[in-house]
Amino acid sequence: MICSLKFRKLLLPLCFVFLGNLSAQEVIVINDWSQFGDIPGTWKLVGGVTTDWEQEDFLSTSPGTGILVNPPKPKNGPHLISGFEHGDMELELEFMVPKGSNSGIYLQGRYEIQIFDSWGKINPNSGDAGGIYQRWDEEKKQGFEGKPPRTNASKAPGLWQQVKIDFEAPRFDASGKKIKNAKFNQVYLNGVLIHENVEVTGPTRSALFEDEKPLGPIMIQGDHGPVAIRNIRYEIFGKPVPPIKDLQYAYYKGKFQSVEDFQDNTPDQTGPLNQITWDLGHGILDFAYEYSGNLEIPESGNYTFSLNAFGKTSLEVNGENVLPDEVQFPGDGPRSKTVSLEQGSIPFKLVFYKNNYPGRRPQLGFFMAGPGIKSSPLHEPNSYLDHQIQKPFYLEPTTEPLIQRGFFQHGEGVRTHTVSVGEPAGPNFTYDLQQGSVLSVWKGGFLDTAPMWRQRGQTQLMVPNGALVELEGGPSIARLDQDNSPWPDSLSSELFRIKGYDLNRDRRPTFKYVFGEIAVEDLVVPEMNGKAFTRTIRYSQPQKTPGVWARVIAAETIEDRGDGIYLINEGQFYVKLPDTNQQKAHLRATSSGKELLVPFSTSQENGEIKYSIIW
């Protein structure tokens, strides 16, 4: 966005360069803001900051370190500029904005990813959160080349939001002529991929510089609106991938179940290779290949090796069994291991074999990353075709809610009896039929169901396609002997009996179950134009099973902000209780954090507990 030119000359002398020690590091974490550079006096270093979705400025800050806060106009001013420069980079940070606020992150001080309060906007543009802001034609007085995010993954004002940027700097020849544009390889907002392979032909509007160079600082706008920044992590790239010397292959013809079946055999064919590839003219089935050579490691440090394949693979590096023999299937994702290597020539051996799934093309991807070296392929391009491995199958609601049953990943485990509900213009959620609980809520797309068709067993997952908020996932209702009795991890089938669900006129499910002798109906609906979910738990005849509570939320931290509003996990999302439930709410400490409970009322035949999740 537009910034005043008068700050630029003022700020440039504040920058100092410590590039000398970056090459020996990998991921740099800003624990002390002096690592970032000199901080303008208008930016305040604090330990905590609070606001909510209705406030246009931060409500309060608390003493400490770790968070930089920029105040609103007219108290703000200079931009935040790093004391180091970068070329290719991966950058992560968290930001918080009050209602209506505006800022931006400029890679190399030139190419902006927008920070904005875009909560709930249906059709975002390049000026919304996560957008690649437009360039400006001064002669025509109009913008051009802006790129909106694929979807609006923004959270509510007052919540912490995460942006992750994979940036590729422009390239120049020996004479200084640009030969390749800057590119945003990937940009994630709150865990959602919002940009991929987007080139930028020049500095976006209000950049710190009007030219383009191989290097430049990070700039965060300070002259627009209030913004808070924390948890900056970055990694600078640009070093070449280590070459492979003396690359050889050995081919074994046959159907093998393990490496032991052929490792002592005489190869049917051997020879030199220019690049690793599975396609050496021996067909797509019943083969084994062994590749060996030496990696020329440029400097001592930690190096990460990854295998992504359709078949069985194993990897040895410098005599160490780095990745043991294991089968990989399409969609499994890479197997990776980080090892410490000394500078010099390091031997490796890669094994790949396949004997099942006739007609299915093999895939072999071998990747490496290290100090200053971005994860890069060591294989021939045709050996691994990413789109064939990862092709999604999206399920999206159109005019009415869409319901899909299946397996769902929650935490480290898989829930097998779940229902996912997608809303055409609002957030989505997944419900566990075995515990009567909401497992996760998310905004953006609904589901990628490709694993349901391509995988087996508990890997046949419904995968959320949006900005996910994972909830505790334990039982929503339990009977407690005392107010301080621990909440159970699960419910017995004798106590909890699911009765299925009915669809209302809006085609939304009302889940029904019996808890003890209490009949319960559970309805989750979007509200606030898709910005929130409201859950209503209705029950009848609570006298028959006294001492029953509903757990509204369990989290590491729950902060009572007053008026029935609770801030969860220091800014992950909000919970709001209506007036009818506020007086009964019980916030208590647990061994892992806090819980917010509301009791079932036994003073009447019927009752309800209602709350909203806002994010």
Side-chain angles (χ1 to χ4, degrees):
M1 297 296 285
I2 299 174
C3 69
S4 173
L5 293 175
K6 69 181 181 180
F7 293 115
R8 296 183 184 175
K9 291 184 179 180
L10 172 66
L11 281 167
L12 287 177
L14 296 177
C15 298
F16 63 92
V17 177
F18 57 95
L19 287 173
N21 67 350
L22 285 181
S23 62
Q25 300 180 37
E26 297 182 22
V27 177
I28 292 89
V29 180
I30 301 295
N31 295 316
D32 179 349
W33 278 97
S34 65
Q35 297 172 272
F36 190 81
D38 286 354
I39 307 302
T42 51
W43 292 76
K44 302 300 181 184
L45 191 61
V46 302
V49 58
T50 60
T51 190
D52 62 44
W53 65 89
E54 297 179 324
Q55 302 299 319
E56 296 183 356
D57 190 8
F58 294 115
L59 293 172
S60 64
T61 59
S62 58
T65 60
I67 301 172
L68 273 181
V69 175
N70 185 46
K73 293 181 178 180
K75 296 180 181 180
N76 63 10
H79 307 308
L80 183 64
I81 300 178
S82 69
F84 59 88
E85 295 187 316
H86 69 90
D88 295 355
M89 165 183 265
E90 288 184 1
L91 172 69
E92 294 182 50
L93 61 82
E94 291 178 271
F95 68 87
M96 179 193 294
V97 290
K99 180 180 179 180
S101 193
N102 179 1
S103 183
I105 307 163
Y106 284 77
L107 281 297
Q108 295 193 319
R110 295 175 172 90
Y111 316 100
E112 183 186 17
I113 296 295
Q114 179 76 322
I115 291 176
F116 201 80
D117 170 24
S118 301
W119 185 39
K121 188 170 183 179
I122 295 176
N123 296 308
N125 58 45
S126 66
D128 282 297
I132 300 172
Y133 200 62
Q134 63 186 0
R135 302 188 64 201
W136 184 254
D137 188 319
E138 185 61 36
E139 183 177 330
K140 295 181 180 180
K141 302 294 182 185
Q142 65 182 30
F144 64 101
E145 286 191 1
K147 185 73 172 179
R150 291 179 176 178
T151 186
N152 185 1
S154 297
K155 290 186 178 183
L159 298 179
W160 285 107
Q161 308 194 55
Q162 183 195 51
V163 62
K164 182 177 180 180
I165 302 167
D166 181 346
F167 173 78
E168 187 176 300
R171 300 294 194 260
F172 301 85
D173 63 16
S175 68
K177 179 183 177 182
K178 187 174 75 168
I179 56 175
K180 188 177 180 182
N181 289 323
K183 183 169 68 171
F184 288 97
N185 293 317
Q186 290 184 325
V187 179
Y188 287 83
L189 179 61
N190 297 320
V192 179
L193 181 63
I194 58 173
H195 294 295
E196 191 168 26
N197 297 322
V198 180
E199 290 191 11
V200 186
T201 62
T204 51
R205 192 176 185 186
S206 306
L208 189 63
F209 312 104
E210 296 180 359
D211 62 351
E212 294 184 279
K213 297 288 184 181
L215 299 174
I218 299 170
M219 183 186 88
I220 299 175
Q221 276 182 328
D223 66 347
H224 275 47
V227 61
I229 305 292
R230 74 177 186 184
N231 293 343
I232 291 186
R233 301 164 56 92
Y234 66 92
E235 187 168 5
I236 293 175
F237 303 102
K239 295 184 179 180
V241 181
I244 298 177
K245 297 290 184 66
D246 304 320
L247 180 61
Q248 302 282 324
Y249 80 92
Y251 162 65
Y252 301 85
K253 182 179 180 180
K255 190 169 186 176
F256 308 110
Q257 299 299 323
S258 69
V259 173
E260 289 75 17
D261 290 347
F262 61 86
Q263 65 179 358
D264 295 327
N265 297 357
T266 300
D268 292 275
Q269 185 176 328
T270 61
L273 275 180
N274 292 322
Q275 282 185 292
I276 291 172
T277 177
W278 69 267
D279 192 3
L280 295 173
H282 301 117
I284 66 171
L285 204 62
D286 299 342
F287 64 78
Y289 291 110
E290 181 180 284
Y291 311 88
S292 60
N294 295 289
L295 288 161
E296 301 302 309
I297 301 300
E299 63 178 281
S300 300
N302 291 327
Y303 291 81
T304 299
F305 296 92
S306 301
L307 294 175
N308 211 343
F310 180 26
K312 281 191 173 183
T313 56
S314 63
L315 176 66
E316 289 184 10
V317 177
N318 206 24
E320 178 186 350
N321 187 12
V322 174
L323 293 169
D325 188 35
E326 186 175 310
V327 65
Q328 288 182 270
F329 293 99
D332 283 351
R335 296 193 294 143
S336 300
K337 181 70 177 292
T338 300
V339 295
S340 178
L341 298 177
E342 298 295 325
Q343 180 184 12
S345 186
I346 303 296
F348 78 93
K349 183 173 73 173
L350 169 64
V351 174
F352 175 63
Y353 59 108
K354 181 174 180 288
N355 54 42
N356 290 317
Y357 305 99
R360 297 287 297 276
R361 184 184 189 276
Q363 300 281 328
L364 176 60
F366 181 30
F367 301 86
M368 179 182 184
I373 303 168
K374 192 172 185 179
S375 181
S376 303
L378 298 175
H379 56 268
E380 186 269 331
N382 196 51
S383 183
Y384 176 79
L385 302 179
D386 185 71
H387 69 276
Q388 290 193 9
I389 293 288
Q390 303 294 342
K391 187 176 181 180
F393 187 82
Y394 292 123
L395 193 64
E396 297 292 350
T398 53
T399 59
E400 61 184 34
L402 186 60
I403 299 172
Q404 178 67 46
R405 295 188 65 165
F407 296 169
F408 193 84
Q409 183 82 37
H410 184 265
E412 298 298 321
V414 173
R415 304 295 179 98
T416 57
H417 295 68
T418 69
V419 174
S420 293
V421 181
E423 291 283 343
N428 316 297
F429 71 95
T430 294
Y431 192 91
D432 186 349
L433 295 173
Q434 289 184 308
Q435 299 296 332
S437 62
V438 178
L439 297 175
S440 299
V441 295
W442 67 97
K443 295 177 182 175
F446 182 35
L447 292 173
D448 176 8
T449 58
M452 297 180 68
W453 300 99
R454 297 174 182 159
Q455 305 302 321
R456 291 185 174 186
Q458 291 194 358
T459 61
Q460 294 178 287
L461 297 169
M462 306 181 293
V463 180
N465 181 31
L468 187 74
V469 174
E470 191 171 83
L471 305 177
E472 181 67 16
S476 293
I477 295 175
R479 184 180 181 278
L480 303 180
D481 294 330
Q482 300 177 3
D483 289 357
N484 61 353
S485 296
W487 198 263
D489 295 328
S490 62
L491 298 175
S492 67
S493 58
E494 292 80 12
L495 185 64
F496 177 88
R497 302 183 301 281
I498 190 72
K499 298 295 183 181
Y501 58 85
D502 294 333
L503 299 182
N504 62 16
R505 292 183 178 180
D506 296 322
R507 306 293 295 174
R508 294 190 177 100
T510 298
F511 300 97
K512 297 184 175 184
Y513 55 89
V514 174
F515 182 85
E517 298 185 61
I518 303 174
V520 181
E521 295 186 349
D522 198 348
L523 175 66
V524 180
V525 299
E527 289 194 338
M528 298 172 61
N529 296 318
K531 296 177 180 177
F533 262 141
T534 295
R535 183 182 189 185
T536 303
I537 300 173
R538 297 188 177 94
Y539 54 88
S540 59
Q541 297 184 314
Q543 302 89 346
K544 292 186 176 181
T545 310
V548 176
W549 295 72
R551 185 169 68 175
V552 173
I553 199 74
E556 291 183 10
T557 65
I558 302 176
E559 179 187 345
D560 186 351
R561 302 285 295 276
D563 298 324
I565 299 172
Y566 297 84
L567 184 67
I568 311 302
N569 288 338
E570 298 181 346
Q572 185 184 13
F573 59 96
Y574 301 104
V575 166
K576 189 177 189 309
L577 294 177
D579 293 339
T580 53
N581 293 141
Q582 286 179 35
Q583 300 300 321
K584 303 175 185 177
H586 177 46
L587 182 60
R588 67 177 190 171
T590 69
S591 60
S592 59
K594 289 190 174 182
E595 291 176 332
L596 182 62
L597 310 180
V598 177
F600 277 27
S601 174
T602 57
S603 62
Q604 51 191 12
E605 286 295 314
N606 301 291
E608 72 174 27
I609 294 171
K610 195 172 187 178
Y611 65 91
S612 299
I613 294 177
I614 301 167
W615 81 106

